[in-house]
Amino acid sequence: MTEGTVTNQAEPVAAPATVEGGKRQRSHELNALMGLVGIALIFEILGWVFQGQSFLFNAQRLSIIILQVAVVGIIAIGVTQVIITGGIDLSSGSIVGLTAMVAMSFAQVSTYPRAVYPNLTDLPVIIPVLIGLGVGLGAGLINGALIAYTRIPPFIATLGMMVTARGAAKWYTRGQPVSFPTDSFAAIGQGMTPVFIFLAIALLFHVALKYTVYGKHTYAIGSNESAARVSGISVERHLIMVYAIAGMLASLAGIVIAARGLTAQAGMGTMYELQAIAMAVIGGVSLSGGRGSIVGTVIGAAIFGVIISGFTFLRLSAYYQEMIMGAIIVAAVVADVYRQRYRTSAR
Amino acid sequence: MANDGIVLKTEGLTKYYGGVHALEDADFTLHEGEHVAIVGDNGAGKSTFVRQITGVEQPTAGKIFFGGKEVAFNSPIDARDFGIEAVFQNLALADDLDVPSNIFLGREETYFNLGPFSFLNEKKMYKNSMEALERTGVKIPNLRNSIANMSGGQRQCVAISRAASFASKLIIMDEPTAALGVQETTQVENIIRGLKKQGIPLILVSHNLRQVFNLVDKIWVFRRGRIAGMLEADKTDGNEVVSLITGVKTGVHENASYI
């Protein structure tokens, strides 16, 4: 990293500034990319040593990695924006579960005798999708309004939503799973569709964060909320919008995962919030706000996917995998803290 | 009320924070082209006064007249719309953004209006920022660096350039040199002198009496949430100002020509 070189004041005003400015930001993402390559190579070597086969050059495995990453990655895109404002969203995993249940209940086929709403079967796919997104929108609006107007910490507000939404998911069918969706609903989750959805969402919010007023204000609020306020940014409105977007993206993930599994269960999406946060932080999004990018999060998601499937590939027990996942999250945050310290001392 | 060359006037401006009377019954006048200082001890109500007239907070009671008309600023944007710009004590800059983003924060240039999703016209903001910095004589090597990587002086110069480039009617600076070194302070003072030449009125909140006497026409002294008096800089001296600040002397109000 080559940052923090404050040049002499007496120097003439530099003209081709865009080059250096871009480089500084890119370096975080470049680091993450190199990390991704490094980790993949380690698993490749371990694969040949312990399993006698290649880790990377296996089309089936790669597509599984990509698919795994895609669903949580959709959530991570929303979480990234929340973290850039200096907040956190712990409710996304529960919103996935609740959305899966609700959306699926409006997507059931008429031939299934025990549908949740026997009179509302065989509906066009747009209806369960819109209702599902509405669930996330509603939850996100509540998160955002609580944080913006009551000024309770985002951690607490979204923790409350995490528990409440999970409870609502269980209450919705008294714990019964919901199954048998229409073909058109199921199609949302089949094949590589989730990956395309993830990439489209990533591209959309990459553009929004980098090239629009929305993005500028998102970074400004995370960077210095009071500065944003006195500069005339409507901080409350913006925070509500960011949390609403994050909620809707969690819902989208819930729709995708229900469509993919052809069934919805109240426990779906458990721990996804932490995986999404981990993807963002691994990708260089700073938990103290103001810094990070969608490109970084996408790379972070890839790193996360490679590590998880790498351990599966090495036949590591699922218990170890969870423990290691926890360690990765902590390690990513520690790395973030060190980056901060470097910045502060470089000033 | 006719204009009478008065830019800003407050009548009975009062602000309570719960039971704390931070500002009481402040009658303040600022004329066209005038540079004035607000001085006073800590907790005298200087910053509170500034927050009321910039729309950051809303007064508990009292009236604010701007350009002869009564105004009520519900937010800093309202104040801005009247051409009032402020440089706040706590450096109201977003550390992780670059110079143009900070200068245009909250009023970004866009290509076409799509609400919050309007596309930024970075090129125009960059160009205008260069011009704004040049006008105020500020040299910053690389505008695309984030503010976090700049010295305190550079950061303050960016904040002042921002205010100066948008202020058409009034500029307010709250302790602009409090955290700066000697050389950087000089630079800020030169910017202020430039504003005087342009005829833009200025309210300067400062603890530094030398600076105050060097820069302004009038000195308003605040004490314990009230205006203790107004002195003309060339008809007074440091002793008189200090005695007003500390409360040894009171009641200069009656002698002042405008009140």
Side-chain angles (χ1 to χ4, degrees), chain A residues 1 24-36 39 76-77 79-80 83-84 219 274-287 291-305 307 328-329 331-333 335-336 339:
Chain A
M1 272 192 306
R24 199 191 68 80
Q25 213 195 354
R26 221 175 295 136
S27 72
H28 283 299
E29 289 141 12
L30 205 65
N31 283 348
L33 197 62
M34 288 184 327
L36 173 63
I39 291 164
I77 300 296
V79 167
T80 297
I83 297 177
I84 291 173
Y219 284 99
L274 290 183
Q275 295 183 18
I277 293 166
M279 287 174 177
V281 176
I282 291 170
V285 181
S286 170
L287 282 176
R291 280 191 312 285
S293 70
I294 297 295
V295 174
T297 296
V298 171
I299 297 169
I303 292 176
F304 196 84
I307 291 174
I328 291 170
I329 294 171
V333 175
D336 175 43
R339 272 201 299 265

Side-chain angles (χ1 to χ4, degrees), chain A residues 257-270:
Chain A
I257 200 171
R260 181 159 194 83
L262 303 174
T263 184
Q265 288 170 14
M268 273 177 164
T270 304

Side-chain angles (χ1 to χ4, degrees), chain A residues 4-217:
Chain A
T5 44
V6 178
T7 11
N8 195 334
Q9 280 213 6
E11 266 185 35
V13 180
T18 34
V19 183
E20 200 185 319
K23 191 171 74 189
R24 199 191 68 80
Q25 213 195 354
R26 221 175 295 136
S27 72
H28 283 299
E29 289 141 12
L30 205 65
N31 283 348
L33 197 62
M34 288 184 327
L36 173 63
V37 172
I39 291 164
L41 283 178
I42 290 170
F43 279 115
E44 180 69 20
I45 292 161
L46 291 175
W48 285 108
V49 173
F50 291 108
Q51 306 289 331
Q53 56 165 302
S54 169
F55 169 66
L56 289 173
F57 299 99
N58 182 323
Q60 201 193 347
R61 181 153 41 240
L62 279 181
S63 69
I64 289 173
I65 294 178
I66 294 169
L67 272 168
Q68 266 180 345
V69 159
V71 176
V72 186
I74 295 171
I75 304 169
I77 300 296
V79 167
T80 297
Q81 300 171 57
V82 167
I83 297 177
I84 291 173
T85 67
I88 195 90
D89 189 353
L90 297 177
S91 65
S92 23
S94 297
I95 294 175
V96 166
L98 179 59
T99 304
M101 298 293 283
V102 173
M104 186 62 98
S105 72
F106 289 98
Q108 289 175 300
V109 287
S110 53
T111 48
Y112 177 59
R114 296 206 319 251
V116 178
Y117 302 110
N119 302 324
L120 294 173
T121 50
D122 288 335
L123 298 173
V125 65
I126 188 77
I127 290 174
V129 168
L130 285 182
I131 291 174
L133 291 177
V135 169
L137 176 66
L141 286 174
I142 293 171
N143 280 339
L146 277 173
I147 290 156
Y149 292 116
T150 70
R151 316 214 118 242
I152 56 175
F155 179 84
I156 300 298
T158 59
L159 185 73
M161 182 56 71
M162 169 184 170
V163 178
T164 309
R166 186 66 71 194
K170 290 173 183 160
W171 159 84
Y172 190 66
T173 56
R174 307 300 186 268
Q176 296 299 310
V178 186
S179 312
F180 299 100
T182 58
D183 288 344
S184 50
F185 185 80
I188 298 170
Q190 302 312 308
M192 294 305 260
T193 313
V195 179
F196 295 130
I197 294 175
F198 168 56
L199 292 178
I201 293 293
L203 181 67
L204 180 69
F205 284 102
H206 170 72
V207 170
L209 274 186
K210 217 166 153 48
Y211 301 107
T212 73
V213 174
Y214 167 82
K216 197 67 87 185
H217 291 183

Side-chain angles (χ1 to χ4, degrees), chain A residues 3-22 24 205 207-208 210-217 219-220 222-224 226-234 237-238 241 245 289-291 343 346-347, chain B residues 56 76-77 80 88 90-98 101-102 104-110 115-122 125-126 130 134 138-151 153-155 162 183-184 187:
Chain A
E3 60 174 354
T5 44
V6 178
T7 11
N8 195 334
Q9 280 213 6
E11 266 185 35
V13 180
T18 34
V19 183
E20 200 185 319
R24 199 191 68 80
F205 284 102
V207 170
K210 217 166 153 48
Y211 301 107
T212 73
V213 174
Y214 167 82
K216 197 67 87 185
H217 291 183
Y219 284 99
S223 197
N224 185 345
S226 61
R229 208 177 288 277
V230 297
S231 299
I233 297 173
S234 172
R237 208 184 63 190
H238 196 88
M241 186 155 63
I245 287 172
R291 280 191 312 285
R343 278 171 62 89
R347 191 180 283 174
Chain B
V56 174
I77 313 175
R80 267 185 186 181
F88 290 98
N90 56 356
L91 284 164
L93 297 171
D95 273 359
D96 299 298
L97 300 183
D98 62 11
S101 303
N102 268 290
F104 284 90
L105 195 58
R107 54 190 144 201
E108 289 79 3
E109 294 285 350
T110 54
F117 295 99
S118 305
F119 280 83
L120 296 161
N121 191 342
E122 295 274 7
M125 291 195 278
Y126 185 87
M130 290 278 270
E134 263 167 39
V138 176
K139 288 195 174 70
I140 302 230
N142 187 348
L143 299 195
R144 289 285 176 210
N145 262 340
S146 66
I147 294 279
N149 295 327
M150 293 179 186
S151 72
Q154 288 176 321
R155 291 152 62 87
R162 168 169 73 175
Q183 205 182 343
E184 294 166 332
Q187 199 177 355

